[in-house]
Every structure is written in structure tokens, then in C-alpha cells.
Amino acid sequence: VSEPTAGPTVVTVEEVESVARLLDAFNREFGTPTPGVTVLAQRLAGLLARNDVIALLGGNPPAGVALLTLRPNVWFDGPVAMLDELYVVPERRGRGLGSQLLAAAEEAAGELGAELIEINVDGEDTDARRFHERHGYANVDPGQAEPQLYYHRELGSGDQRPQ
Ligand SMILES: CC(C)(COP(=O)(O)OP(=O)(O)OC[C@H]1O[C@@H](n2cnc3c(N)ncnc32)[C@H](O)[C@@H]1OP(=O)(O)O)[C@@H](O)C(=O)NCCC(=O)NCCS
């Protein structure tokens, strides 16, 4: 009963609860704070009404999720996509659902004109890195020796900007 009958599909607003539940489970599994299913579902309902935020669900009942955001970029005619989240529940891993979700996310981004898709991965997450590298993602530009690094800074947290 748990096998998907079709490939991953882009969600409708009625399915925000499933997306929220999976994203909440993702953060709980990895000990990352989560605002909870109710808040996530409310946020997703607003976000998915936009045309630059896309969620996909895979499995029946849903066992995996991909969340994509698109933004304009001066170097491309079309938008650049970011795969913000990709998650498959532990008991369904290793059976191709993550690969299906990634392929469906790439297709959905391509249909919206995106020319590049980006993914941030923890450096020590060798399983996820192997997964993405096997699917054609690289963290080194051609001709460069050093991997790209992701820098971030939380704004408005009250800390002092260095002089
Ligand atoms: C990464 C993830 C989405 C892959 O989904 P999946 O359905 O297991 O993917 P597939 O069955 O298509 O491919 C299996 C591959 O996933 C990778 N993988 C990453 N984490 C894994 C895990 N905990 N268990 C099994 N496979 C995992 C492996 O590289 C495996 O390939 P291998 O045969 O070389 O070991 C899923 O494992 C997951 O949700 N992991 C935890 C969350 C995460 O790391 N998300 C990615 C953030 S960038």
C-alpha cells in the first residue's frame, strides 16, 4: 500500500499539511528547531500561492518532499532555482524516491525557465554529497581547484557588525 502509484507531483494547496509534516519530521530527525506543523502549514499555504515557490510530494502516502524557490539572477535570462529542502522518511530511503523527487524538481524548475539549480549541503554529510554528485551536481567550477563555500549571516540578531 505504501508504493507510489505515480511519480512525484507538484503539490496543490490542499496538500500543504503533508508537506508541513515532512518538513517538520526532517528538522526533528536532525535536531534542528522547527516551528511545528501548524505554523509550517500556514506559511506554506502563503508561499505555495506564489509562482516562485514549488513543493513536490512523492510516495503514497507521502513519504518524501522537495521544496524549491526561484529568484531572478543577472547572469541568466531565466530564474535560478534553489533546492531548499529534499527529504525522504528514513524507512523509505535507498529505494529511489529521493532520486525521483530530485528529477521531478529539476523538471518543474526547467518548466519555469530556470537555467541553474543550487543545493546547499553540509560538508560532513557525505551521504547527501554522494547522492547529489551522483546526480550531476558539483561544488567546484570548471578550472577551479577549491570548492565553493556557503557563507551566511543572520541579520537583526543584535550582534555587532565587525569594525
Ligand atoms: C538524501 C535523501 C533525500 C535521498 O533519498 P533516497 O530516497 O534515499 O534516495 P535514493 O534511494 O534515490 O538514493 C539513495 C542514495 O541516497 C544517499 N543517502 C543520503 N543519505 C542517506 C540515508 N540516510 N540513507 C540512505 N541513503 C542515503 C545515498 O548516497 C544513497 O546512495 P548510495 O547507494 O550511494 O548509498 C534521503 O536519504 C534523506 O532524506 N536524507 C536525509 C535528509 C538529507 O540529507 N537531505 C538532503 C539535504 S541536501
Side-chain angles (χ1 to χ4, degrees):
V1 292
S2 62
E3 283 308 307
T5 50
T9 50
V10 175
V11 308
T12 60
V13 82
E14 289 78 44
E15 294 168 300
V16 290
E17 190 79 20
S18 296
V19 176
R21 215 167 12 78
L22 286 163
L23 294 179
D24 185 67
F26 188 177
N27 277 20
R28 285 181 198 280
E29 181 182 339
F30 292 94
T32 309
T34 165
V37 175
T38 307
V39 171
L40 285 171
Q42 278 166 2
R43 264 185 215 160
L44 284 161
L47 290 174
L48 294 171
R50 303 166 54 112
N51 59 8
D52 53 2
V53 182
I54 305 163
L56 299 101
L57 284 172
N60 184 20
V65 66
L67 188 71
L68 277 170
T69 51
L70 288 89
R71 64 177 191 280
N73 183 289
V74 73
W75 302 114
F76 298 97
D77 287 330
V80 166
M82 171 72 80
L83 185 69
D84 289 316
E85 314 293 342
L86 179 66
Y87 180 68
V88 171
V89 294
E91 57 274 20
R92 291 293 310 275
R93 284 183 198 151
R95 289 153 62 190
L97 187 53
S99 299
Q100 286 176 26
L101 278 163
L102 183 59
E106 289 170 353
E107 195 180 323
E111 281 169 7
L112 290 167
E115 298 186 52
L116 181 76
I117 183 160
E118 301 176 330
I119 303 173
N120 289 316
V121 183
D122 285 344
E124 62 189 19
D125 192 345
T126 50
D127 285 336
R129 288 177 61 178
R130 193 173 66 243
F131 174 85
H132 291 305
E133 285 168 20
R134 205 175 58 216
H135 289 86
Y137 290 75
N139 67 347
V140 186
D141 274 334
Q144 302 241 307
E146 291 294 322
Q148 289 145 346
L149 299 175
Y150 161 71
Y151 288 84
H152 61 102
R153 179 168 194 264
E154 282 200 30
L155 299 176
S157 56
D159 58 341
Q160 294 295 307
R161 183 170 281 279
Q163 298 302 306

